[in-house]
Each structure stands twice: as C-alpha cells, then as structure tokens.
Amino acid sequence: MTGAQFGELPFLTKDDVVRSCAYSPDGKSFAIGLENGEISVHTTSNWEKTWTMHGHDKIVWCVVYSPKGNQLASCSWDMTVRLWDVELGECRHILHGHTGEVNYTAYSPQGDRIASASDDMTVRIWDPLTGECLQTLSGHVDCVIRVAFSPKGDQIASTGQDETVRLWDVESGTCRQTLTGHSDLIESVVYSPKGDQIASASQDRTVRLWDVSTAASLFVPSGHSIGVTSVGCSPNGDQIVSGSADKTVRLWSMETGECCQILRGHSDSVFGVAFSPRGSQIASACADKTVRLWDVETGTCQRTLTGHSDWIRGITYSPGGQTVASASIDTTVRLWDSSTGTCHEILKGHTEGVFSVVFSPDGKQIASGSMDSTIRLWVTENGACHKTLTGHGGSVKSVAYSPQGNQLASASFDTTVRLWDVASGECRFIMIGHSDDIWRVAYSLKGNLLASGSQDKSVRLWSAESGQCLAVLGNFQDTVRGVAWSTGSDATYLVTGCLDRSVLKWEIVKEEEEYRANLCWGATNGMLNVTGASMHNVRGLSQLNKQLLRQRGAIGEPEHPIHEAGKKAATMASVVSRLKQLSGSKAPDTPSTEQDERQIEQGRPWDNLDGRLLADAITVAVDFVNERIRGTASE
C-alpha cells in the first residue's frame, strides 16, 4: 500500500466465487467466505493471508466477527454454523440443529448471543461461548433469509420468503409483531440506531420503514416500475408529476424527491401528464384511449374523458385552465372542458397519428406535431388550421411555444430540433447534435434555453437565440422521454424522465459563458454517466465512493466546461448524420407497429435482474433508508 494513490486499492483474486466478506471491528482483519466452503482471513495492512479455515463442505453464505473481534461466525448450506478462534484460526464450535440450509447469522451488540436464519423456516439463538442452542423461533411459513438484533439486543427481526418481517423477544422467544405489506421475498432488514424503527428491503422493489412498537408502515420510498414517459412541474415549483408505462401517475416533492402520491386508474401506459395553470388538477393521457383529470390534493380521479379511438400521446391545458387538449394516434386533436369533461371541438387535418399538442401563451393558437412529419397551427376559437409547417424528415414527437409566443420549437425522429417563427412559419434554426430520435423539447421559463430528450440516451441544452448546443447530459440508461423546467428563489431547474425508470432533478448553472448541470436528486436511477457535469447531494454514496468520484472529477467542479463537451458531441453527431446521408440511410422513424413500441417501452432489461444485481440494488436502498433514519434521529 505504500505510495498508493486513492483509487489504486488492492484487490484479492480468489480461486472460487466469493459469497461473503466482513471486516473485523478494529479494521485490521478481513474475512472472506467462498462457494467451495473455505474461509480465508487477511491482514488489511498488507493484505497477506493469515488463515485458511476448512470445515464447511458447501457454500459459506455469511461470515461475521463478534463485537470484540476475537471470534468469527460462519454459516453454510451444509446446515451448520461454525465459530472460529480468530487468533488461532481454529474452529471452536460446530452448531448443529438446523434441518435446512443456513442463510445468515448475526451477533447481538453485546456479543453474548448469535442468531441464525435457515431454510427450515426457523431462527435459532445460540450461546457463542458454549455453542448451546438457547431458543428455536418458529412462525415463518417459508425460508428465513435474514436476521438482525436490535441495538439493545433484546429483540430480533427476521425476514424471509413468506413476505413478512417478524419481531421476536430474545429472552422468551415469543413473536411480538408480524409486519406485513411486502409482496415478494424480503432480502434484508436493519434497525435504526435508536431501535424504534426498522427498514426492510424486498424483491417487490420497495424499501419499507416500520414503527417497531405499533408495527405501522411509516414510509415506502418507491418509484415507477417501468419506464417514465413524461414529466411536468407544478406552477409553483413545489411538485413534479410523472407518467409511466407502469400505468401510474406519480407526484414527487421538488425539494426532497420523495414520492407524495401514486394515482392509479389507467389500464395501460401513461404517455402524457400536465398540471393545470393553478396547479390544483392534473391531466393524464393514456394508451387506454382515455384522458383522466385528477385532484392534486386528494389524488382522486375527478373525470375520465372518452372519445378518442386510439392511443392518446399528448396532453396540455389552455393558459386559463378551462380547456384541455389531447393528441391521439387516431390523427385528431380534441378540446375538452376541464370542468365538465365534455368535448367541444375535434381538430382534423393530420394524415397520421398526432403525438404532441400545446397552446400558445395567449391561448389563441394551438400547435400539434404528427407522425406525418408536419406541424399544424390551429385557431383556438374556431378550430381552423391556418398554417402547416413542413421540413422535418421524420415524425414530429414534441412541440413547444416560447414563453413570449413568437417562436415554436419542434423535436423529430429525424434527430433534429427546429425553431420556427410563429408569424411567418419560417424555420430559423435546424439544431443538429442528437444521434437518434428526439422525443421531447421544452423551453425554460425565461425562454432563453431549450432542453431536448432523445433516444440517444442524452439531454441537450440549446440556446433559443442562436441554436447553439450549450451542454450535454448523458449517458442515461435509456431513452429520455420527458423534460420540464422549473425555477426556485434563485435557481433554474430541469427535470428529466427516462425509460430507465428514473426521474432526475438538475440545477442548471451559468458561470460566465459556460453552463453546468448539477444533479440534485434522482428517483429510481441505477446508473448515470454524465460528461462534464457535477453532482451534489447524491444519496446512497459511501465516503469511499464519494472520494473515488471526486478524484475522477464527477463530484465538485467539472474538469472541463460542459459546453465544450456539447460542442464536441454536436460535431461528432453532425459528421455521423452527414455520413448517413451520403450512404443513403435515413434516421429511424416510429416503430412499425403498436406492439413494437410497447416492447420498447415495457421490455425493460431490469425486469429480469438476477439475484446478485438485485441484492446490490437492495443494499443501496437500505443505505438510503439508514441515512433517512440517521437524519431523523439527529433532528
């Protein structure tokens, strides 16, 4: 380790799969459990092997040091728990009694008890000095996966495949509480430092926080289970709304990123969401051919609007909030009364499905973007089409008016964003940079910036005045379907929604002539590679990871100005686009069938996560909840 720089950490190569590892309490020793039944112990000062412990003849699933560090406990699929003398490397006791594979073991805080969890549906409590079994806790109706002692050592929490958490009295062995609510195997459980709360993590993709005394579920941090297709910000900037292919609409706190409400009722993918101008109502557009109007305060569905004969892809409110406009694959735009739910106008003219619709700031005009590669401008009062804007070479997926109403932005599957003069209908700028279909475009509240989200797994920031690319946020793990702007007291924020299930909040900062994107928080994002961006207040990072990220320039000031990365990426994309033209190929258009598109939106690879990846995700989730608990305790 002498002379090693941070990030040049040593690594150990083992002859078999590593199933468990643990540091000693003083950090001087490190134990590793292997699939072949061996346990190896290393000294952390030089990482030399101290002992190789033989005894188990099957996988060692858990190794743990006693609180004093003089003893090591291991459990195995050979149905035993073994207690080892750390100083001598010898096995002192073999604990027999379980009739199924032993999955986990834990010491009490005082070190006077050991608990083990087994596939035989029991938890056993042992004396670590004598190896005697003191209690057998029966009650689970399926394999027990994990056990944990309370901070005082007087209670044990156990979890398993029966989807419950059970709380046991250590002295009497009686079950005090059974916590229900999870809908799949529970992988992990942990007590808060005060012992008054428990966090449990499950394969149902949730982490639940429980009150130990009442067994009440206090908090369930959760997110969309399938890709996020659209996002929007409330007029006052306090909330974010997101729509997903998981058939739900979710409300999030802009400040903390917590999910405040889940709006259920749609029977298919939700493609569009929008707040009313006053923020009291939300409209959602769905593949079930309906628009739903929701009360923000109560989360109840006030009205279901029917009339479209195909998927509804876009939704928006008029500036006054009296009218809701919906865009559908049935080639029409419908105007609805937001109070009564009646349809009072049907705008016809597009020859293919309509993906996006938006009102001008004064409400006198409506713009719609279609799969027929055109944008149509309509008179709100009589529904007449008075302009058709042509030029895109692929489906127009998104349109947006500037706050001043004199400019219109459009995003297309031809990989470009176009800026149009509303009065003349002329195209002012063609913005090249994305390398794949563009799904969403939005103006900042001041109108000086544009954000676009693309299937190339990036978001680009553009100047609305010059058409120049100012910044690139990428790579996301999938198509970015939603972008929306909000402002704070002294900051500008961008919210992104992605098919990787993430909803992310970014602070957009301008320093001299350069732009920087700071990641404020993220909901359900697994991995994100951001070139030239700086991340702040990211949850779930250990001090080690923070230092590694800081060393690589991912936390703190960016090593290179973000707009320089944007210029380079734009140049590269321009070259690629030109090569496509020369070779006679064209940008991909909309999927050929509804089934193709549904597969794109719902065929997420993480639905088939294997156990190891899921366990890693659960560990991060539990770390997040622990940070919440510690924060609550400190308050």
Side-chain angles (χ1 to χ4, degrees):
M1 293 290 288
T2 304
Q5 298 296 315
F6 194 85
E8 298 176 356
L9 296 176
F11 62 90
L12 304 174
T13 302
K14 311 305 294 182
D15 295 330
D16 208 337
V17 176
V18 177
R19 290 296 184 180
S20 54
C21 58
Y23 275 99
S24 62
D26 60 9
K28 296 180 179 180
S29 181
F30 187 76
I32 300 171
L34 302 178
E35 190 163 298
N36 62 11
E38 290 184 358
I39 300 168
S40 60
V41 179
H42 299 257
T43 303
T44 57
S45 59
N46 55 18
W47 292 99
E48 291 183 358
K49 185 186 292 186
T50 307
W51 304 109
T52 299
M53 301 173 174
H54 298 278
H56 290 296
D57 56 16
K58 291 186 179 180
I59 298 172
V60 179
W61 275 110
C62 180
V63 289
V64 60
Y65 282 89
S66 65
K68 291 182 180 179
N70 60 329
Q71 191 178 71
L72 183 75
S74 61
C75 66
S76 168
W77 273 12
D78 64 9
M79 300 188 288
T80 68
V81 177
R82 288 178 177 254
L83 305 182
W84 308 82
D85 185 299
V86 171
E87 187 175 352
L88 301 176
E90 297 177 354
C91 180
R92 292 300 189 188
H93 298 288
I94 304 175
L95 313 185
H96 294 282
H98 281 299
T99 58
E101 297 162 346
V102 186
N103 299 308
Y104 199 78
T105 188
Y107 280 92
S108 65
Q110 298 78 17
D112 59 346
R113 295 288 186 272
I114 291 176
S116 57
S118 171
D119 278 4
D120 64 11
M121 302 186 290
T122 70
V123 174
R124 286 181 175 251
I125 302 176
W126 313 81
D127 185 319
L129 295 179
T130 65
E132 178 189 358
C133 180
L134 305 175
Q135 298 277 2
T136 300
L137 313 182
S138 301
H140 282 288
V141 295
D142 209 330
C143 302
V144 185
I145 303 298
R146 193 64 60 97
V147 289
F149 277 92
S150 64
K152 292 182 180 180
D154 58 343
Q155 191 179 78
I156 289 175
S158 60
T159 71
Q161 290 187 358
D162 63 5
E163 304 169 6
T164 69
V165 179
R166 288 178 177 261
L167 307 183
W168 310 85
D169 182 82
V170 171
E171 188 65 28
S172 65
T174 57
C175 180
R176 296 297 189 187
Q177 302 274 13
T178 300
L179 314 182
T180 59
H182 283 295
S183 59
D184 207 337
L185 180 154
I186 304 173
E187 291 271 7
S188 185
V189 65
V190 63
Y191 279 89
S192 66
K194 290 183 178 180
D196 57 340
Q197 294 179 348
I198 283 177
S200 57
S202 168
Q203 286 192 10
D204 66 9
R205 301 176 179 174
T206 68
V207 177
R208 287 179 177 263
L209 194 62
W210 310 85
D211 185 288
V212 170
S213 60
T214 66
S217 180
L218 304 176
F219 177 67
V220 187
S222 58
H224 289 293
S225 59
I226 311 180
V228 179
T229 60
S230 53
V231 291
C233 297
S234 62
N236 62 8
D238 290 343
Q239 288 184 311
I240 294 167
V241 62
S242 60
S244 167
D246 66 8
K247 308 175 188 178
T248 70
V249 175
R250 291 176 185 251
L251 284 173
W252 311 81
S253 165
M254 176 70 80
E255 180 66 25
T256 66
E258 292 180 15
C259 182
C260 310
Q261 289 201 70
I262 303 176
L263 312 182
R264 293 185 171 93
H266 281 298
S267 59
D268 211 328
S269 301
V270 178
F271 290 131
V273 288
F275 274 99
S276 65
R278 292 184 179 180
S280 59
Q281 191 180 74
I282 288 171
S284 56
C286 184
D288 63 12
K289 307 173 189 177
T290 69
V291 172
R292 285 181 176 253
L293 305 181
W294 309 83
D295 183 279
V296 171
E297 186 174 351
T298 65
T300 57
C301 179
Q302 297 172 316
R303 281 179 175 77
T304 301
L305 314 183
T306 59
H308 283 294
S309 59
D310 210 330
W311 290 8
I312 306 174
R313 299 305 306 246
I315 196 78
T316 190
Y317 281 88
S318 63
Q322 302 93 337
T323 302
V324 174
S326 57
S328 172
I329 300 299
D330 66 12
T331 74
T332 70
V333 172
R334 285 180 176 251
L335 305 184
W336 314 80
D337 187 297
S338 61
S339 298
T340 65
T342 57
C343 177
H344 57 78
E345 195 76 57
I346 303 176
L347 311 183
K348 298 179 180 180
H350 284 293
T351 58
E352 292 188 54
V354 187
F355 263 74
S356 181
V357 61
V358 63
F359 281 91
S360 62
D362 60 10
K364 296 180 180 180
Q365 194 178 81
I366 296 171
S368 58
S370 168
M371 292 164 63
D372 63 14
S373 305
T374 71
I375 301 153
R376 286 180 177 257
L377 305 183
W378 313 80
V379 179
T380 304
E381 187 177 4
N382 57 22
C385 177
H386 71 96
K387 277 190 181 70
T388 301
L389 312 183
T390 60
H392 279 297
S395 299
V396 180
K397 294 297 182 181
S398 180
V399 288
Y401 279 96
S402 65
Q404 298 76 23
N406 61 334
Q407 194 179 72
L408 184 76
S410 58
S412 170
F413 271 19
D414 66 7
T415 73
T416 70
V417 174
R418 289 181 178 242
L419 298 186
W420 310 81
D421 182 84
V422 172
S424 66
E426 293 180 359
C427 180
R428 294 185 59 229
F429 297 109
I430 301 176
M431 293 135 80
I432 297 174
H434 284 294
S435 59
D436 210 333
D437 309 337
I438 307 175
W439 280 90
R440 196 74 65 188
V441 65
Y443 279 91
S444 63
L445 300 189
K446 292 181 180 179
N448 61 320
L449 297 175
L450 277 165
S452 56
S454 170
Q455 198 159 311
D456 66 8
K457 305 176 184 178
S458 76
V459 172
R460 285 177 178 262
L461 303 184
W462 311 84
S463 167
E465 297 176 355
S466 67
Q468 177 189 4
C469 181
L470 304 174
V472 181
L473 284 66
N475 290 327
F476 290 78
Q477 293 304 295
D478 212 320
T479 303
V480 181
R481 285 288 192 90
V483 291
W485 293 86
S486 181
T487 58
S489 57
D490 56 355
T492 298
Y493 300 103
L494 178 69
V495 177
T496 58
C498 182
L499 289 188
D500 65 10
R501 299 182 298 161
S502 69
V503 177
L504 306 177
K505 176 187 174 183
W506 308 83
E507 182 185 10
I508 306 301
V509 179
K510 183 180 181 182
E511 295 180 347
E512 297 180 354
E513 297 303 316
E514 299 165 359
Y515 281 85
R516 189 180 76 223
N518 299 334
L519 180 60
C520 302
W521 55 255
T524 325
N525 56 303
M527 187 189 305
L528 185 71
N529 303 316
V530 184
T531 303
S534 127
M535 295 184 284
H536 297 270
N537 302 322
V538 182
R539 296 169 175 161
L541 288 179
S542 65
Q543 288 300 316
L544 176 65
N545 285 334
K546 286 179 182 177
Q547 291 180 51
L548 284 168
L549 288 170
R550 187 174 290 111
Q551 177 185 333
R552 288 156 175 77
I555 293 181
E557 294 298 321
E559 197 170 5
H560 302 290
I562 192 166
H563 84 287
E564 290 297 328
K567 288 179 182 177
K568 293 175 183 177
T571 302
M572 181 75 71
S574 179
V575 171
V576 171
S577 178
R578 181 58 180 158
L579 287 173
K580 284 183 178 180
Q581 294 173 8
L582 292 173
S583 64
S585 63
K586 63 178 182 178
D589 208 325
T590 187
S592 58
T593 65
E594 293 180 1
Q595 183 180 4
D596 293 335
E597 184 155 351
R598 190 183 299 276
Q599 288 175 348
I600 290 173
E601 290 167 342
Q602 297 185 352
R604 305 271 51 81
W606 36 79
D607 288 339
N608 297 314
L609 276 176
D610 64 34
R612 285 172 294 177
L613 288 177
L614 184 56
D616 291 342
I618 287 170
T619 300
V620 173
V622 171
D623 288 343
F624 160 66
V625 173
N626 280 334
E627 289 191 15
R628 283 185 58 85
I629 293 171
R630 285 193 289 272
T632 304
S634 65
E635 291 173 4

